[in-house]
Amino acid sequence: MILTDTHTHLYSDEFDSDRDEMIQRAISNGVTRFFVPAIDSTCTQSMYDLEEKYPQNIFLMTGLHPCYVKENYAEELSYIENQLVQRKFVAIGEIGIDLYWDKSTLEIQKIAFRHQIQLAKKYKLPIVIHCRESFDEIFEVLESEKSEELYGIFHCFSGNLDQAKKAISYRMKLGIGGVVTFKNGKIDQFINQIDIQYLVLETDSPYLAPAPYRGKRNESSYVKLVASKLSELYGVSIEEIARITTENSKSVFGI
């Protein structure tokens, strides 16, 4: 059984004491594919170090996270463009709009999001979208940028059924993580109305650990708990969930 974690911040400081053990624990649980999103330029070297150590398992994205869109955002976007010229990445991510922490940066968040979508189209790469309290704003940008070249993943999807269908209409898969195991997460109430072909698994580790570890540090091995919950909701084996969602991840990232 091969499981894929399509979104894990393996370079996080929270793994500094046991990073290799955590990665090996995931691999021993069948999680052999790790897709690592960027936050900003400060995480680049840590990401490269991980890729060098685990070249068969770890695949890197480049991008500017919406919470890190600050006054220097133009420099950060230029940095991403330079990175894209120098080497290959599997996606532009994580990018998007976050109105939970800071609504005052909405306009520059939109500029950064749109610019990075255009880079993804130019380099024929998928995008990985961060959306927090910003579905309307995200959909507005996607509508203006939609094309056959635009596709990717709605990371950590936590919207409703209508929003799920709308995301899929923009050629996006839904990244399903620990939220599906939460008692008040709500997506467990409708997700089985969405065909499994539109889902990929993720942890967003070290954040959003699934039950029974909610509130604690998340790690990539816990993607198995997400698969187990989907197995229960869809009434199919965990092996089938693993197979289909891994195939879905291959269709997005090409790996």
Side-chain angles (χ1 to χ4, degrees):
M1 182 170 69
I2 297 174
L3 288 157
T4 300
D5 187 350
T6 61
H7 201 107
T8 174
H9 299 270
L10 295 176
Y11 51 83
S12 169
D13 293 348
E14 294 193 40
F15 297 126
D16 281 355
S17 64
D18 66 342
R19 183 172 287 104
D20 289 314
E21 294 90 331
M22 182 273 292
I23 291 171
Q24 289 303 327
R25 198 157 45 239
I27 290 172
S28 68
N29 274 280
V31 188
T32 57
R33 294 154 49 80
F34 307 82
F35 290 83
V36 180
I39 297 297
D40 63 9
S41 59
T42 64
C43 64
T44 302
Q45 192 56 53
S46 299
M47 292 172 69
Y48 287 175
D49 292 345
L50 278 164
E51 179 190 49
E52 185 176 1
K53 196 165 189 178
Y54 300 94
Q56 303 303 312
N57 305 99
I58 288 177
F59 309 99
L60 306 183
M61 310 178 205
T62 185
L64 179 61
H65 188 296
C67 291
Y68 292 77
V69 175
K70 309 294 184 186
E71 294 80 7
N72 70 334
Y73 77 92
E75 294 170 33
E76 286 285 338
L77 294 175
S78 177
Y79 177 83
I80 291 163
E81 292 189 54
N82 289 333
Q83 291 289 296
L84 287 163
V85 169
Q86 293 174 30
R87 53 154 293 157
K88 289 187 176 181
F89 293 90
V90 297
I92 307 289
E94 66 189 275
I95 65 175
I97 298 173
D98 188 308
L99 298 180
Y100 178 80
W101 294 108
D102 188 355
K103 293 180 173 64
S104 72
T105 59
L106 173 59
E107 289 312 311
I108 57 174
Q109 285 191 55
K110 281 184 180 178
I111 292 168
F113 184 33
R114 189 183 305 278
H115 184 83
Q116 291 179 96
I117 288 174
Q118 291 166 357
L119 285 176
K121 290 178 183 176
K122 178 180 177 180
Y123 287 92
K124 295 180 169 49
L125 292 172
I127 61 172
V128 173
I129 298 173
H130 172 107
C131 174
R132 194 166 186 193
E133 297 191 0
S134 57
F135 275 104
D136 290 345
E137 292 80 5
I138 293 277
F139 287 143
E140 176 190 330
V141 174
L142 291 180
E143 179 64 27
S144 66
E145 292 290 337
K146 67 180 179 182
S147 74
E148 287 301 305
E149 298 164 326
L150 179 60
Y151 66 106
I153 296 172
F154 245 86
H155 147 61
C156 193
F157 183 80
S158 56
N160 58 35
L161 179 60
D162 287 342
Q163 289 164 334
K165 290 177 177 177
K166 191 161 186 175
I168 290 166
S169 77
Y170 290 112
R171 305 183 71 220
M172 299 293 150
K173 305 287 190 198
L174 307 181
I176 306 300
V179 174
V180 78
T181 70
F182 297 173
K183 286 184 178 177
N184 60 349
K186 298 181 181 176
I187 63 170
D188 61 315
Q189 297 171 22
F190 68 81
I191 198 65
N192 63 2
Q193 296 178 53
I194 300 292
D195 194 300
I196 305 175
Q197 69 170 307
Y198 297 116
L199 307 186
V200 292
L201 305 181
E202 63 165 74
T203 58
D204 198 22
S205 58
Y207 318 108
L208 291 172
Y213 301 106
R214 186 175 184 183
K216 299 180 180 178
R217 187 189 77 169
N218 199 2
E219 60 177 71
S220 286
S221 64
Y222 296 167
V223 82
K224 196 170 185 178
L225 296 170
V226 178
S228 179
K229 181 64 177 182
L230 289 177
S231 167
E232 172 193 321
L233 293 171
Y234 280 89
V236 300
S237 69
I238 188 172
E239 290 80 8
E240 187 70 353
I241 294 290
R243 183 188 67 79
I244 295 172
T245 54
T246 288
E247 284 303 313
N248 295 345
S249 76
K250 291 176 182 178
S251 75
V252 175
F253 296 116
I255 291 172

